[in-house]
Amino acid sequence: MALAFYSETDDPRPWREAIRAALPDLDFRIAPDLGNPSDIDVTLVWKPPRGWHRQFPNLRAILSLGAGVDALLEDTELPEGIPITRMVDAGMGRQMAEYAAYGVMHFHRRMDDYAQAQREGRWTPLEPVAVRDFPVGILGLGVLGAQAAALLVAMGYPVRGWTRSRKSLAGVESFCGMQELDRFLAGTRALVNFLPLTPETRGFIDGALLARLPRGAYLVNLARGGHVVEDDVLSALEDGALAGAMLDVFAKEPLSADHPFWRHPRVVVTPHVAAVTQAEDAAAQVIENLRRLRDGEPLRGVVDRARGY
Ligand code: NDP
Ligand code: OXD
């Protein structure tokens, strides 16, 4: 069996070592040195160029190095009829929960105001806000969002989650579907986004949605930049609908040097690092799927192409 690896941001070496140790017969090839494309059975990829998969006539599966497969599914030339798998947690749940908790605490404990006060050399203690008065609303309670919810519940925050289907998670108030979105937003002080990017969720966090949050709410986006209408976030920050935003993902990455987010006093920017797929945590999942592919068994973590996640 031959595998083609493509990523501009992941080092292929730890993947090759882990996979070769478990499956010594597997032929691990790294783009662009792929030899004869007809040999390739399976790819292991992060954001390959549009149409890249067309070159493999005998492809049997596509394994994503990421949890989100939006970039793959946007490729209209992706081969039909073969499974696409995604990372299911694979060490990212813990990292994402840490980032979400940090973002919520940053705003709850007024660290943005204190950073500003420090820049101005001002000693200004602010009124504390009790944790019970800082409800957190999580968009998406899947593999990753549910772990963030559990951590925030353990920290004492009132936590509510919005999903497509009803959830029953300890300490988390469940809201689902468009009919419950208004109630969900109205009781949310910090909105934390864990949705997958699909045709339904693209541009979802726009001015109209932000206006349905209580005035002076906060946004933490660690899912995808495409969820957010960036100009609307800037306007909401300007008119006070939003009091602050922590953003890890952007419509266009890397964020351009002249983007207003970089220097906005109420925005924290990180470069898509909320969770990073590490071979040491995630290789086992890939190896399991390669074994299954070899043995003709159904793969795990298969994406529903029609649903988009
Ligand atoms: P899952 O597929 O496990 O969970 C998705 C959740 O979103 C589910 O609860 C689902 O609801 C909900 N959802 C999807 N569509 C809708 C909709 N239209 N309306 C309401 N709810 C919806 O995904 P993960 O938790 O594994 O990952 C979430 C995302 O996090 C990834 O897609 C990726 O974009 C992002 N990510 C970002 C990283 C970073 O470093 N910044 C790292 C890793 C992931 P239901 O349960 O009802 O189906
Ligand atoms: C992912 C990501 O989806 O890193 O895994 O964004």
Side-chain angles (χ1 to χ4, degrees):
M1 197 156 76
L3 175 149
F5 182 98
Y6 182 100
S7 171
E8 287 181 14
T9 48
D10 301 85
D11 181 353
R13 287 169 300 183
W15 293 96
R16 185 175 56 191
E17 267 165 44
I19 291 170
R20 273 193 183 152
L23 301 168
D25 293 337
L26 186 121
D27 181 359
F28 191 104
R29 301 184 190 176
I30 301 167
D33 301 320
L34 296 176
N36 181 355
S38 315
D39 298 342
I40 300 297
D41 297 281
V42 54
T43 61
L44 179 58
V45 291
W46 178 244
K47 294 192 176 170
R50 182 178 288 261
W52 184 79
H53 279 95
R54 260 192 333 181
Q55 63 185 306
F56 309 119
N58 298 316
L59 198 63
R60 293 192 283 140
I62 298 171
L63 314 186
S64 164
L65 282 162
V69 290
D70 43 287
L72 270 173
L73 295 184
E74 274 165 22
D75 183 352
T76 48
E77 299 174 44
L78 205 65
E80 299 284 341
I82 59 167
I84 300 171
T85 69
R86 70 184 195 95
M87 290 295 171
V88 180
D89 188 339
M92 284 186 277
R94 160 108 209 168
Q95 298 176 58
M96 292 289 270
E98 287 165 358
Y99 188 105
Y102 175 78
V104 168
M105 279 189 86
H106 179 84
F107 293 123
H108 164 223
R109 295 305 307 263
R110 310 282 297 265
M111 291 302 165
D112 51 339
D113 293 315
Y114 289 123
Q116 184 61 34
Q118 182 175 349
R119 281 191 291 274
E120 294 166 8
R122 261 190 305 110
W123 181 273
T124 317
L126 299 165
E127 200 59 37
V129 177
V131 74
R132 65 176 171 276
D133 294 331
F134 203 85
V136 179
I138 302 183
L139 294 167
L141 291 174
V143 173
L144 303 178
Q147 291 183 63
L151 179 56
L152 287 157
V153 167
M155 290 164 74
Y157 290 99
V159 177
R160 43 184 48 213
W162 184 75
T163 46
R164 271 166 35 136
S165 52
R166 181 74 60 207
K167 300 292 173 209
S168 174
L169 297 173
V172 181
E173 198 177 349
S174 167
F175 295 81
C176 65
M178 287 316 224
Q179 64 288 0
E180 294 183 12
L181 182 61
D182 270 350
R183 271 200 311 122
F184 165 80
L185 292 171
T188 290
R189 185 94 182 258
L191 183 69
V192 184
N193 181 30
F194 273 91
L195 290 171
L197 184 61
T198 67
E200 274 179 46
T201 64
R202 180 173 289 282
F204 185 64
I205 303 176
D206 62 2
L209 181 139
L210 295 172
R212 285 139 83 192
L213 292 165
R215 203 170 162 69
Y218 298 94
L219 171 67
V220 179
N221 185 21
L222 62 168
R224 285 290 182 265
H227 289 123
V228 166
V229 180
E230 293 182 344
D231 284 345
D232 289 6
V233 167
L234 288 166
S235 305
L237 287 164
E238 225 45 62
D239 70 19
L242 267 188
M246 185 174 289
L247 307 172
D248 184 54
V249 284
F250 303 90
K252 187 168 172 294
E253 296 178 5
L255 190 64
S256 63
D258 60 350
H259 199 291
F261 283 154
W262 280 119
R263 274 161 282 278
H264 198 294
R266 308 213 67 90
V267 177
V268 178
V269 168
T270 53
H272 199 142
V273 289
V276 177
T277 314
Q278 305 277 9
E280 57 184 7
D281 297 322
Q285 227 170 81
V286 171
I287 290 163
E288 172 64 16
N289 268 338
L290 292 171
R291 279 209 184 96
R292 288 172 166 265
L293 190 67
R294 181 195 63 193
D295 299 343
E297 293 171 21
L299 304 190
R300 293 200 169 141
V302 174
V303 170
D304 179 337
R305 287 195 191 207
R307 211 175 53 160
Y309 68 101

